[in-house]
Amino acid sequence: MNAILKAALSRLVHTGTLVITDSSGQNRTFGDGTGEPIHFRINTAAAERRIAFDPSLHFAEAYMNGELDVLDGDIYDVLKIIFENTGATVAREPWMLALEGIRRATRRLHQMNTLARSSSNVHRHYDLSEDLYRLFLDTDMQYSCAYFEHPDATLEEAQLAKKRHIAAKLLVEKGHKTLDIGCGWGGLGLYLARHLDANVQGVTLSHEQHGIANKRAVDEGLSAQARFDLRDYRTIDDSFDRIVSVGMFEHVGVGHFAEYFQHTARLLKKDGVFLLHSIGRSDGPSYTNAFIQKYIFPGGYIPALSEVLPHIEKAGLVITDIEILRLHYADTLRIWRERFMANRDKAKAIYDERFCRMWEFYLAASESAFRWQNLMVFQIQLAHRQEAVPLTRSYIEKEEKRLKRLESERSCANTQIDNRESVAGR
């Protein structure tokens, strides 16, 4: 085994049992021998050298390219034993610290998300086949952190609870002009139109999402209340009672935070409410993981609150509520990963083996980051005026209960319609 890689693993892995077969066929065991053994093989000496030099990129690439195979366990189990031992810090070799310094210094360059570049970056990820996403997402195609009100909630229940939780914080009233920045496949916007009679405008840069969201609005008879546009939020010049953004802020880039909040502050009416839902870091500013930057979310960045709050203040917005969702996304990703693996053959038929390995690693690494690498989700409620929302948080639970009743009533009504149509069709 590469001497540098062997020394690093010996220093870092103290608990559990990690067995590595190196490129020469020799087995090396790390840890204290406890637990189920996790075993992987590195197939080439070149892969060993690359992993030793820059594990944050080349470990993932080796797995993607078939230069690393997991023999006992799976890639999530491998990451689990590594991160349980190391936490957020995998290695501190001098050249790795230098690479980290370079990535920190150049992060604004990678996150220079102009109008044209943002569209290109979104295309790389969100314009993948709809059939791929349907293999692992819930039926409403929610591609963001779910909200588990109880541990045994299904993914469908938790994603519905997420939409309900956000809607309750928005305090949407009938006819409210509502902007959904980064609307995805339209699920949240349609929820607000369906249950609260909001007048929703969603925006996305994904051609796939744009087409599907509008088709769903037509199919539900909601196209008069919910429309979805293929455009950048920065090109909008209007005013809105409510603004919501879920899972889009991670694509803004650290150099564009001021632009984001200044523009949304202009769009938000003086008595309006804005709910921002985003992945965040609980351990301070950093840089985007090299694998994620190169293969999954080019131009993306997960911010620390300390990077976000100053721009909110400078934009003249008032923070009326902040909530931190800790392990909700880890549980969401676990279910996505399990569903993807159950449908792996279908994903391979859409793309290929290398893509499947890349996606496996992405889902496993993302879940690991929320469990052991200080990632979380924050929801920040914003307004121009302190009195825009009630002074205590009890209104959120009260509104959630009301929304549950509305959901139930609509579900019962739809069931009755379906039953009548079934009888009429006999």
Coordinates of all heavy atoms in Angstrom, one line a residue, residues 197-285:
D197 N -55.2 29.2 -1.9 CA -55.6 30.1 -3.0 C -54.6 31.2 -3.3 O -55.0 32.3 -3.6 CB -57.0 30.7 -2.6 CG -58.1 29.7 -2.6 OD1 -58.1 28.8 -3.5 OD2 -59.0 29.7 -1.7
A198 N -53.4 30.9 -3.2 CA -52.3 31.9 -3.5 C -52.2 32.0 -5.0 O -52.5 31.1 -5.7 CB -51.0 31.4 -2.9
N199 N -51.7 33.2 -5.4 CA -51.4 33.4 -6.8 C -49.9 33.3 -7.0 O -49.1 34.2 -6.6 CB -51.9 34.9 -7.2 CG -51.6 35.2 -8.6 OD1 -51.2 34.3 -9.4 ND2 -51.9 36.4 -9.0
V200 N -49.5 32.1 -7.5 CA -48.1 31.7 -7.4 C -47.4 31.9 -8.7 O -47.9 31.5 -9.8 CB -47.9 30.3 -7.0 CG1 -46.5 29.8 -7.0 CG2 -48.6 30.0 -5.6
Q201 N -46.2 32.5 -8.7 CA -45.3 32.6 -9.8 C -44.0 31.8 -9.4 O -43.3 32.3 -8.5 CB -44.9 34.0 -10.2 CG -43.9 34.0 -11.4 CD -43.5 35.5 -11.8 OE1 -44.0 36.4 -11.2 NE2 -42.6 35.6 -12.7
G202 N -43.7 30.7 -10.0 CA -42.5 30.0 -9.7 C -41.5 30.3 -10.8 O -41.8 30.5 -12.0
V203 N -40.2 30.3 -10.5 CA -39.1 30.4 -11.4 C -38.1 29.3 -11.3 O -37.7 29.0 -10.1 CB -38.5 31.8 -11.4 CG1 -39.4 32.9 -11.7 CG2 -37.9 32.1 -10.0
T204 N -37.6 28.8 -12.4 CA -36.5 27.8 -12.4 C -35.7 28.0 -13.6 O -36.1 28.6 -14.6 CB -37.1 26.4 -12.4 OG1 -36.1 25.4 -12.5 CG2 -38.1 26.2 -13.6
L205 N -34.5 27.5 -13.6 CA -33.6 27.6 -14.8 C -33.5 26.2 -15.4 O -32.8 26.0 -16.4 CB -32.2 28.0 -14.4 CG -32.1 29.5 -13.9 CD1 -30.7 29.8 -13.4 CD2 -32.5 30.5 -15.0
S206 N -34.3 25.2 -14.9 CA -34.3 23.9 -15.5 C -35.4 23.7 -16.5 O -36.6 23.9 -16.2 CB -34.4 22.9 -14.4 OG -34.8 21.6 -14.9
H207 N -35.1 23.4 -17.7 CA -36.1 23.1 -18.7 C -37.0 22.0 -18.3 O -38.2 22.0 -18.6 CB -35.4 22.8 -20.1 CG -34.7 24.0 -20.7 ND1 -35.3 24.9 -21.6 CD2 -33.4 24.5 -20.4 CE1 -34.4 25.8 -21.9 NE2 -33.3 25.6 -21.2
E208 N -36.4 20.9 -17.8 CA -37.2 19.7 -17.4 C -38.2 20.1 -16.3 O -39.4 19.8 -16.4 CB -36.3 18.7 -16.8 CG -35.5 17.9 -17.9 CD -36.3 16.7 -18.4 OE1 -37.1 16.1 -17.7 OE2 -36.2 16.4 -19.6
Q209 N -37.7 20.8 -15.3 CA -38.6 21.2 -14.2 C -39.7 22.2 -14.7 O -40.9 22.1 -14.3 CB -37.8 21.9 -13.1 CG -36.9 20.9 -12.3 CD -36.1 21.6 -11.2 OE1 -36.0 22.8 -11.2 NE2 -35.6 20.8 -10.3
H210 N -39.3 23.1 -15.5 CA -40.3 24.1 -16.0 C -41.5 23.4 -16.8 O -42.6 23.7 -16.5 CB -39.6 25.0 -17.0 CG -40.4 26.0 -17.8 ND1 -40.6 25.9 -19.1 CD2 -41.2 27.0 -17.4 CE1 -41.4 26.8 -19.5 NE2 -41.8 27.5 -18.5
G211 N -41.1 22.5 -17.6 CA -42.2 21.8 -18.4 C -43.1 20.9 -17.5 O -44.3 21.0 -17.6
I212 N -42.5 20.2 -16.6 CA -43.3 19.3 -15.7 C -44.2 20.1 -14.7 O -45.3 19.8 -14.5 CB -42.3 18.4 -14.9 CG1 -41.7 17.4 -15.9 CG2 -43.1 17.6 -13.8 CD1 -40.5 16.7 -15.3
A213 N -43.6 21.2 -14.2 CA -44.4 22.0 -13.2 C -45.6 22.6 -13.9 O -46.7 22.6 -13.3 CB -43.5 23.1 -12.7
N214 N -45.5 23.2 -15.1 CA -46.6 23.7 -15.8 C -47.6 22.7 -16.2 O -48.9 22.9 -16.1 CB -46.2 24.5 -17.0 CG -45.7 25.9 -16.6 OD1 -46.4 26.7 -15.9 ND2 -44.5 26.3 -17.0
K215 N -47.2 21.5 -16.6 CA -48.1 20.4 -16.9 C -48.9 20.0 -15.7 O -50.1 19.7 -15.8 CB -47.3 19.2 -17.5 CG -48.3 18.1 -17.9 CD -47.5 16.9 -18.5 CE -48.4 15.8 -19.0 NZ -49.3 15.3 -18.0
R216 N -48.2 19.9 -14.6 CA -48.9 19.6 -13.3 C -50.0 20.6 -13.0 O -51.1 20.3 -12.5 CB -47.9 19.5 -12.2 CG -47.0 18.3 -12.3 CD -46.0 18.3 -11.1 NE -46.7 18.0 -9.9 CZ -46.1 18.0 -8.7 NH1 -44.9 18.3 -8.6 NH2 -46.8 17.7 -7.6
A217 N -49.7 21.9 -13.2 CA -50.7 22.9 -12.9 C -51.9 22.8 -13.8 O -53.0 22.9 -13.3 CB -50.0 24.3 -13.1
V218 N -51.7 22.5 -15.1 CA -52.8 22.3 -16.0 C -53.6 21.1 -15.6 O -54.8 21.1 -15.5 CB -52.3 22.1 -17.4 CG1 -53.4 21.7 -18.4 CG2 -51.6 23.5 -17.9
D219 N -52.9 20.0 -15.3 CA -53.6 18.7 -15.0 C -54.5 18.9 -13.7 O -55.5 18.2 -13.6 CB -52.6 17.6 -14.7 CG -51.9 17.2 -16.0 OD1 -52.4 17.5 -17.1 OD2 -50.9 16.5 -15.9
E220 N -54.0 19.7 -12.8 CA -54.8 19.9 -11.5 C -55.8 21.0 -11.7 O -56.6 21.3 -10.7 CB -53.9 20.3 -10.4 CG -53.2 19.1 -9.8 CD -52.7 19.4 -8.3 OE1 -53.5 19.8 -7.5 OE2 -51.5 19.1 -8.1
G221 N -55.9 21.7 -12.8 CA -56.8 22.8 -13.0 C -56.4 24.0 -12.2 O -57.2 24.9 -11.8
L222 N -55.1 24.2 -12.0 CA -54.5 25.3 -11.2 C -53.7 26.3 -12.0 O -53.1 27.2 -11.5 CB -53.7 24.8 -10.0 CG -54.4 24.0 -8.9 CD1 -53.4 23.3 -8.0 CD2 -55.3 24.9 -8.1
S223 N -53.8 26.2 -13.3 CA -52.9 27.0 -14.2 C -53.3 28.5 -14.1 O -52.4 29.3 -14.4 CB -53.0 26.6 -15.6 OG -54.3 26.5 -16.1
A224 N -54.5 28.8 -13.7 CA -54.9 30.2 -13.5 C -54.2 30.8 -12.2 O -54.1 32.0 -12.1 CB -56.4 30.4 -13.4
Q225 N -53.9 29.9 -11.3 CA -53.3 30.4 -10.0 C -51.8 30.2 -9.9 O -51.2 30.8 -9.1 CB -54.0 29.7 -8.8 CG -55.5 30.1 -8.6 CD -56.1 29.2 -7.6 OE1 -56.8 28.2 -7.8 NE2 -55.8 29.5 -6.3
A226 N -51.3 29.2 -10.6 CA -49.9 28.9 -10.5 C -49.3 28.7 -11.9 O -49.7 27.9 -12.7 CB -49.7 27.5 -9.7
R227 N -48.3 29.6 -12.1 CA -47.5 29.5 -13.4 C -46.0 29.4 -13.0 O -45.6 30.0 -12.0 CB -47.8 30.7 -14.3 CG -47.2 32.0 -13.9 CD -47.5 33.1 -15.0 NE -46.6 34.2 -14.8 CZ -46.8 35.2 -14.0 NH1 -47.9 35.2 -13.2 NH2 -46.0 36.2 -13.9
F228 N -45.3 28.8 -13.9 CA -43.9 28.5 -13.6 C -43.1 29.0 -14.9 O -43.4 28.6 -16.0 CB -43.6 27.0 -13.3 CG -44.5 26.6 -12.2 CD1 -45.7 25.9 -12.3 CD2 -44.0 26.8 -10.9 CE1 -46.4 25.5 -11.3 CE2 -44.8 26.4 -9.8 CZ -46.0 25.7 -10.0
D229 N -42.1 29.9 -14.6 CA -41.4 30.5 -15.7 C -40.0 30.1 -15.7 O -39.3 29.8 -14.7 CB -41.4 32.1 -15.5 CG -42.8 32.6 -15.5 OD1 -43.7 32.0 -16.2 OD2 -43.0 33.7 -14.9
L230 N -39.4 30.0 -16.9 CA -38.0 29.6 -17.2 C -37.3 30.9 -17.2 O -37.0 31.5 -18.2 CB -37.9 28.9 -18.5 CG -36.6 28.2 -18.8 CD1 -36.2 27.1 -17.8 CD2 -36.5 27.7 -20.2
R231 N -36.8 31.3 -16.0 CA -36.1 32.6 -15.9 C -35.3 32.7 -14.6 O -35.6 32.0 -13.6 CB -37.0 33.8 -16.1 CG -38.0 33.9 -14.9 CD -39.1 35.0 -15.2 NE -38.5 36.3 -15.3 CZ -39.2 37.4 -15.5 NH1 -40.5 37.4 -15.6 NH2 -38.6 38.6 -15.5
D232 N -34.3 33.5 -14.6 CA -33.5 33.8 -13.4 C -34.3 34.8 -12.5 O -34.9 35.8 -13.0 CB -32.2 34.4 -13.8 CG -31.2 34.4 -12.7 OD1 -31.4 35.2 -11.7 OD2 -30.2 33.7 -12.8
Y233 N -34.3 34.6 -11.2 CA -35.0 35.5 -10.3 C -34.5 36.9 -10.4 O -35.2 37.9 -10.1 CB -34.8 35.0 -8.8 CG -33.5 35.3 -8.2 CD1 -33.3 36.4 -7.4 CD2 -32.3 34.5 -8.5 CE1 -32.1 36.8 -6.8 CE2 -31.1 34.9 -8.0 CZ -31.0 36.0 -7.1 OH -29.8 36.3 -6.6
R234 N -33.2 37.1 -10.9 CA -32.7 38.4 -10.9 C -33.3 39.3 -12.1 O -33.1 40.5 -12.1 CB -31.2 38.4 -11.1 CG -30.4 37.9 -9.9 CD -29.0 37.5 -10.1 NE -28.8 36.3 -10.9 CZ -27.7 35.7 -11.1 NH1 -26.5 36.2 -10.6 NH2 -27.6 34.5 -11.8
T235 N -34.0 38.6 -13.0 CA -34.7 39.3 -14.1 C -36.1 39.8 -13.7 O -36.8 40.4 -14.6 CB -34.7 38.5 -15.3 OG1 -35.6 37.4 -15.1 CG2 -33.3 38.0 -15.7
I236 N -36.6 39.4 -12.5 CA -37.9 39.8 -12.1 C -38.0 41.2 -11.6 O -37.1 41.6 -10.7 CB -38.5 38.8 -11.1 CG1 -38.5 37.4 -11.7 CG2 -39.8 39.2 -10.6 CD1 -38.9 36.3 -10.7
D237 N -38.9 42.0 -12.0 CA -39.1 43.3 -11.5 C -40.6 43.5 -11.1 O -41.4 44.0 -12.0 CB -38.7 44.4 -12.5 CG -38.7 45.8 -12.0 OD1 -38.9 45.9 -10.8 OD2 -38.7 46.7 -12.8
D238 N -41.0 43.1 -10.0 CA -42.4 43.1 -9.6 C -42.4 43.2 -8.0 O -41.4 43.3 -7.4 CB -43.1 41.8 -10.1 CG -44.6 42.0 -10.2 OD1 -45.1 43.0 -9.6 OD2 -45.2 41.1 -10.8
S239 N -43.6 43.1 -7.4 CA -43.7 43.1 -6.0 C -44.6 42.0 -5.6 O -45.5 41.6 -6.2 CB -44.2 44.5 -5.5 OG -45.5 44.7 -6.0
F240 N -44.2 41.4 -4.4 CA -44.9 40.2 -4.0 C -45.2 40.3 -2.5 O -44.5 40.8 -1.7 CB -44.0 38.9 -4.2 CG -43.7 38.7 -5.7 CD1 -42.7 39.3 -6.3 CD2 -44.6 37.8 -6.4 CE1 -42.4 39.0 -7.6 CE2 -44.3 37.6 -7.7 CZ -43.2 38.2 -8.4
D241 N -46.4 39.7 -2.1 CA -46.8 39.6 -0.7 C -46.0 38.6 0.0 O -45.7 38.7 1.2 CB -48.3 39.2 -0.6 CG -49.2 40.2 -1.3 OD1 -49.4 41.3 -0.8 OD2 -49.8 39.8 -2.4
R242 N -45.6 37.5 -0.7 CA -44.9 36.4 -0.1 C -43.8 35.9 -1.1 O -44.0 35.9 -2.3 CB -45.8 35.2 0.3 CG -46.9 35.5 1.3 CD -46.3 35.8 2.6 NE -47.4 36.0 3.6 CZ -47.8 37.2 4.0 NH1 -47.3 38.3 3.4 NH2 -48.7 37.3 4.9
I243 N -42.6 35.6 -0.5 CA -41.5 35.0 -1.3 C -41.1 33.8 -0.5 O -40.9 33.8 0.7 CB -40.4 36.0 -1.5 CG1 -40.8 37.3 -2.2 CG2 -39.2 35.3 -2.2 CD1 -39.7 38.3 -2.4
V244 N -40.8 32.7 -1.3 CA -40.3 31.5 -0.7 C -39.2 31.0 -1.6 O -39.3 31.1 -2.8 CB -41.4 30.5 -0.4 CG1 -42.0 30.0 -1.8 CG2 -40.9 29.3 0.4
S245 N -38.2 30.4 -1.0 CA -37.1 29.8 -1.7 C -36.6 28.6 -0.9 O -36.2 28.7 0.2 CB -36.0 30.8 -1.9 OG -35.0 30.2 -2.8
V246 N -36.7 27.4 -1.6 CA -36.4 26.1 -0.9 C -35.3 25.4 -1.7 O -35.6 25.1 -2.9 CB -37.6 25.2 -0.7 CG1 -37.2 23.9 -0.1 CG2 -38.7 25.9 0.1
G247 N -34.1 25.3 -1.2 CA -33.1 24.5 -1.9 C -32.4 25.2 -3.1 O -31.8 24.5 -3.9
M248 N -32.6 26.5 -3.2 CA -32.0 27.2 -4.3 C -30.8 28.1 -3.8 O -29.9 28.3 -4.6 CB -33.1 28.1 -4.9 CG -32.6 29.0 -6.1 SD -32.0 30.6 -5.4 CE -31.4 31.4 -6.9
F249 N -30.9 28.5 -2.6 CA -29.8 29.4 -2.1 C -28.4 28.8 -2.2 O -27.4 29.5 -2.3 CB -30.1 29.9 -0.7 CG -29.3 31.0 -0.2 CD1 -29.4 32.3 -0.8 CD2 -28.4 30.8 0.8 CE1 -28.6 33.3 -0.3 CE2 -27.6 31.8 1.3 CZ -27.7 33.1 0.7
E250 N -28.4 27.5 -2.1 CA -27.1 26.8 -2.2 C -26.4 27.0 -3.6 O -25.2 26.7 -3.8 CB -27.3 25.3 -2.0 CG -27.9 25.0 -0.6 CD -29.4 24.9 -0.6 OE1 -30.0 25.6 -1.4 OE2 -29.9 24.1 0.2
H251 N -27.2 27.5 -4.6 CA -26.6 27.7 -5.9 C -26.3 29.2 -6.2 O -25.9 29.5 -7.3 CB -27.6 27.2 -7.0 CG -28.0 25.8 -6.8 ND1 -27.1 24.8 -7.2 CD2 -29.1 25.2 -6.3 CE1 -27.7 23.6 -7.0 NE2 -28.9 23.8 -6.4
V252 N -26.5 30.0 -5.2 CA -26.3 31.5 -5.4 C -24.8 31.8 -5.5 O -24.3 32.6 -6.4 CB -27.0 32.3 -4.3 CG1 -26.5 33.7 -4.3 CG2 -28.5 32.2 -4.4
G253 N -24.0 31.3 -4.6 CA -22.5 31.6 -4.5 C -22.2 32.7 -3.6 O -22.9 33.7 -3.5
V254 N -21.1 32.5 -2.9 CA -20.8 33.5 -1.8 C -20.6 34.9 -2.3 O -21.0 35.9 -1.6 CB -19.6 33.0 -1.0 CG1 -18.3 33.1 -1.9 CG2 -19.4 33.8 0.3
G255 N -20.2 35.1 -3.5 CA -20.0 36.4 -4.1 C -21.3 37.1 -4.5 O -21.3 38.3 -4.9
H256 N -22.4 36.4 -4.5 CA -23.7 36.9 -4.9 C -24.7 37.1 -3.8 O -25.9 37.4 -4.0 CB -24.3 36.0 -6.0 CG -23.4 36.0 -7.2 ND1 -23.5 36.9 -8.3 CD2 -22.4 35.1 -7.6 CE1 -22.7 36.6 -9.2 NE2 -22.0 35.5 -8.8
F257 N -24.3 36.8 -2.5 CA -25.2 36.9 -1.4 C -25.8 38.3 -1.3 O -27.0 38.5 -1.1 CB -24.6 36.5 -0.1 CG -24.3 35.1 0.0 CD1 -23.5 34.6 1.1 CD2 -24.7 34.1 -0.9 CE1 -23.2 33.3 1.2 CE2 -24.5 32.8 -0.8 CZ -23.7 32.3 0.3
A258 N -25.0 39.4 -1.4 CA -25.5 40.7 -1.3 C -26.5 41.0 -2.4 O -27.6 41.6 -2.1 CB -24.3 41.7 -1.4
E259 N -26.2 40.6 -3.6 CA -27.1 40.7 -4.8 C -28.5 40.0 -4.5 O -29.6 40.6 -4.8 CB -26.5 40.2 -6.0 CG -27.4 40.2 -7.3 CD -26.7 39.5 -8.4 OE1 -26.0 38.5 -8.2 OE2 -26.8 40.0 -9.6
Y260 N -28.4 38.8 -3.9 CA -29.6 38.0 -3.7 C -30.5 38.7 -2.7 O -31.7 38.9 -3.0 CB -29.2 36.7 -3.1 CG -30.3 35.7 -2.8 CD1 -30.9 34.9 -3.8 CD2 -30.9 35.7 -1.5 CE1 -31.9 34.0 -3.5 CE2 -31.9 34.9 -1.2 CZ -32.4 34.0 -2.2 OH -33.5 33.2 -1.9
F261 N -30.0 39.2 -1.6 CA -30.9 39.8 -0.6 C -31.3 41.2 -0.9 O -32.4 41.6 -0.6 CB -30.2 39.7 0.8 CG -30.1 38.3 1.4 CD1 -28.9 37.7 1.5 CD2 -31.3 37.7 1.8 CE1 -28.9 36.4 2.0 CE2 -31.2 36.4 2.3 CZ -30.0 35.7 2.4
Q262 N -30.5 41.9 -1.6 CA -30.9 43.2 -2.0 C -32.0 43.1 -3.1 O -33.0 43.9 -3.0 CB -29.7 44.0 -2.6 CG -28.7 44.5 -1.6 CD -27.4 44.9 -2.1 OE1 -27.2 45.1 -3.4 NE2 -26.4 45.1 -1.3
H263 N -31.9 42.2 -4.0 CA -33.0 42.0 -5.0 C -34.3 41.5 -4.4 O -35.4 42.0 -4.7 CB -32.5 41.1 -6.1 CG -33.4 41.1 -7.3 ND1 -33.6 42.2 -8.1 CD2 -34.3 40.2 -7.8 CE1 -34.4 42.0 -9.1 NE2 -34.9 40.7 -8.9
T264 N -34.2 40.5 -3.5 CA -35.4 40.0 -2.9 C -36.1 41.0 -2.0 O -37.3 41.1 -1.9 CB -35.1 38.7 -2.1 OG1 -34.0 38.9 -1.2 CG2 -34.8 37.5 -3.1
A265 N -35.2 41.9 -1.3 CA -35.8 42.9 -0.5 C -36.6 43.9 -1.4 O -37.7 44.4 -0.9 CB -34.7 43.7 0.2
R266 N -36.1 44.2 -2.6 CA -36.9 45.0 -3.5 C -38.2 44.4 -4.0 O -39.2 45.1 -4.1 CB -36.0 45.4 -4.7 CG -34.9 46.4 -4.4 CD -34.3 46.9 -5.7 NE -33.7 45.9 -6.5 CZ -32.4 45.5 -6.4 NH1 -31.6 46.2 -5.5 NH2 -31.8 44.6 -7.2
L267 N -38.2 43.1 -4.1 CA -39.4 42.4 -4.6 C -40.4 42.2 -3.5 O -41.6 42.1 -3.8 CB -39.0 41.0 -5.1 CG -38.0 40.9 -6.3 CD1 -37.7 39.4 -6.7 CD2 -38.6 41.6 -7.6
L268 N -40.0 42.2 -2.3 CA -40.9 41.9 -1.2 C -41.7 43.2 -0.8 O -41.1 44.2 -0.5 CB -40.2 41.4 0.0 CG -41.0 40.9 1.2 CD1 -41.8 39.7 0.9 CD2 -40.1 40.6 2.4
K269 N -43.0 43.1 -0.7 CA -43.8 44.3 -0.3 C -43.5 44.6 1.2 O -43.0 43.8 1.9 CB -45.3 44.0 -0.4 CG -45.8 43.8 -1.9 CD -47.3 43.6 -1.9 CE -47.8 43.5 -3.3 NZ -49.2 43.2 -3.4
K270 N -43.8 45.9 1.5 CA -43.4 46.4 2.9 C -44.0 45.6 4.0 O -43.5 45.5 5.1 CB -43.8 47.9 3.0 CG -42.9 48.8 2.1 CD -41.4 48.6 2.4 CE -40.6 49.4 1.5 NZ -39.1 49.2 1.7
D271 N -45.2 45.0 3.7 CA -45.9 44.2 4.8 C -45.7 42.7 4.4 O -46.4 41.8 5.0 CB -47.3 44.5 4.9 CG -48.1 44.3 3.6 OD1 -47.5 44.1 2.5 OD2 -49.3 44.4 3.6
G272 N -44.8 42.3 3.5 CA -44.6 40.9 3.1 C -43.8 40.1 4.0 O -43.1 40.6 5.0
V273 N -43.7 38.8 3.7 CA -43.0 37.8 4.4 C -42.2 36.9 3.4 O -42.7 36.5 2.4 CB -43.9 36.9 5.3 CG1 -43.1 35.8 6.0 CG2 -44.7 37.7 6.3
F274 N -41.0 36.6 3.8 CA -40.0 35.8 2.9 C -39.5 34.7 3.8 O -39.0 34.9 4.9 CB -38.9 36.8 2.5 CG -37.8 36.1 1.7 CD1 -37.9 34.9 1.1 CD2 -36.6 36.8 1.5 CE1 -36.9 34.3 0.4 CE2 -35.5 36.2 0.8 CZ -35.7 35.0 0.2
L275 N -39.6 33.5 3.3 CA -39.1 32.3 4.0 C -38.0 31.7 3.1 O -38.2 31.2 2.0 CB -40.2 31.3 4.2 CG -40.0 30.1 5.2 CD1 -39.1 29.0 4.7 CD2 -39.4 30.7 6.5
L276 N -36.8 31.6 3.7 CA -35.6 31.1 3.0 C -35.2 29.8 3.7 O -35.0 29.7 4.9 CB -34.4 32.0 3.1 CG -33.1 31.5 2.5 CD1 -33.2 31.3 1.0 CD2 -32.0 32.5 2.8
H277 N -35.2 28.7 2.9 CA -34.9 27.3 3.4 C -33.6 26.9 2.6 O -33.6 26.8 1.4 CB -36.1 26.4 3.1 CG -35.8 24.9 3.3 ND1 -36.5 24.2 4.2 CD2 -35.0 24.1 2.7 CE1 -36.1 22.9 4.1 NE2 -35.2 22.8 3.2
S278 N -32.5 26.6 3.3 CA -31.3 26.3 2.7 C -30.4 25.4 3.6 O -30.5 25.4 4.8 CB -30.5 27.6 2.4 OG -29.2 27.3 2.0
I279 N -29.6 24.6 2.9 CA -28.6 23.9 3.7 C -27.5 24.9 4.2 O -27.3 25.9 3.5 CB -27.8 22.9 2.7 CG1 -28.8 21.9 2.1 CG2 -26.7 22.1 3.5 CD1 -28.2 20.9 1.1
G280 N -27.0 24.6 5.4 CA -26.0 25.5 6.0 C -24.9 24.7 6.7 O -25.0 23.5 6.9
R281 N -23.9 25.4 7.1 CA -22.8 24.9 7.8 C -22.9 25.4 9.3 O -23.1 26.6 9.5 CB -21.4 25.3 7.3 CG -21.2 24.9 5.8 CD -19.9 25.5 5.3 NE -19.7 25.3 3.9 CZ -19.2 24.2 3.3 NH1 -18.8 23.2 4.1 NH2 -19.1 24.1 2.0
S282 N -22.7 24.5 10.2 CA -22.7 24.9 11.6 C -21.3 25.2 12.2 O -21.1 25.5 13.4 CB -23.4 23.9 12.5 OG -22.8 22.6 12.4
D283 N -20.3 25.0 11.3 CA -18.9 25.2 11.8 C -18.1 26.3 11.1 O -16.9 26.3 11.1 CB -18.1 23.9 11.7 CG -18.1 23.3 10.3 OD1 -18.8 23.9 9.4 OD2 -17.3 22.4 10.0
G284 N -18.9 27.2 10.5 CA -18.2 28.4 9.9 C -18.0 28.3 8.4 O -18.1 27.2 7.8
P285 N -17.5 29.4 7.8 CA -17.3 29.4 6.4 C -16.3 28.3 5.9 O -15.4 28.0 6.6 CB -16.8 30.8 6.1 CG -17.3 31.6 7.3 CD -17.3 30.7 8.4

